[in-house]
């Protein structure tokens, strides 16, 4: 289960949009994330992470997109569950095989 979000999605989108716009202009590029973060009450490092992920999601920067990361996490959970189920089945199979062997030996 994911942690609850500290910031509403609308604020996040607005902050990303403002930061990206300011970073496009060379005159306002320096310190843009800090200024936007201060204006909206968001930590500059948090905003930097949001902007970086948005750039990856839009294909402007290399990396794993949000949808790909979510799908990978789902697949990893499924693999973990399947491995656990297989281990239970192996244990049960060994138990019943031993019981069947005991029955045949008697």
């Amino acid at each position: 289960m994911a942690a609850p979000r500290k910031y509403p999605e609308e604020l996040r989108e607005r902050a990303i949009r403002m930061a990206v716009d300011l970073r496009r202009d060379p005159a306002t590029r320096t310190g843009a994330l800090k200024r936007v973060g201060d204006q909206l009450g968001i930590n500059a490092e948090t905003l930097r992470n949001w902007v970086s992920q948005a750039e990856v999601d839009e294909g402007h920067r290399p990396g794993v997109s949000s949808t790909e990361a979510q799908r990978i996490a789902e697949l990893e959970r499924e693999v973990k569950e399947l491995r656990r189920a297989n281990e239970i089945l192996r244990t049960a199979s060994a138990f019943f095989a031993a019981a069947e062997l005991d029955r045949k030996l008697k």
Side-chain angles (χ1 to χ4, degrees):
M1 180 189 292
R5 299 224 171 193
K6 182 176 177 181
Y7 301 103
E9 191 62 32
E10 298 83 27
L11 177 64
R12 180 182 172 138
E13 291 170 4
R14 180 175 171 218
I16 291 170
R17 198 170 43 252
M18 288 174 65
V20 168
D21 288 345
L22 286 175
R23 289 176 69 190
R24 283 189 186 133
D25 182 5
T28 59
R29 182 171 179 83
T30 304
L33 295 176
K34 176 135 177 54
R35 282 194 310 275
V36 171
D38 289 346
Q39 287 176 347
L40 300 176
I42 301 169
N43 182 296
E45 188 63 21
T46 299
L47 182 56
R48 186 189 66 77
N49 290 336
W50 291 351
V51 170
S52 295
Q53 188 60 53
E55 290 173 345
V56 169
D57 290 347
E58 293 171 0
H60 300 299
R61 177 184 285 212
V64 178
S65 72
S66 298
T67 54
E68 290 172 338
Q70 182 180 4
R71 180 69 179 141
I72 290 169
E74 289 171 3
L75 290 171
E76 287 174 346
R77 278 192 297 275
E78 185 177 346
V79 166
K80 183 178 178 181
E81 183 180 327
L82 291 171
R83 285 184 176 156
R84 185 173 166 266
N86 281 342
E87 185 58 36
I88 291 169
L89 291 172
R90 270 193 221 98
T91 303
S93 176
F95 174 78
F96 289 119
E100 181 65 21
L101 182 60
D102 285 346
R103 188 184 63 78
K104 286 183 180 181
L105 292 176
K106 289 183 182 181

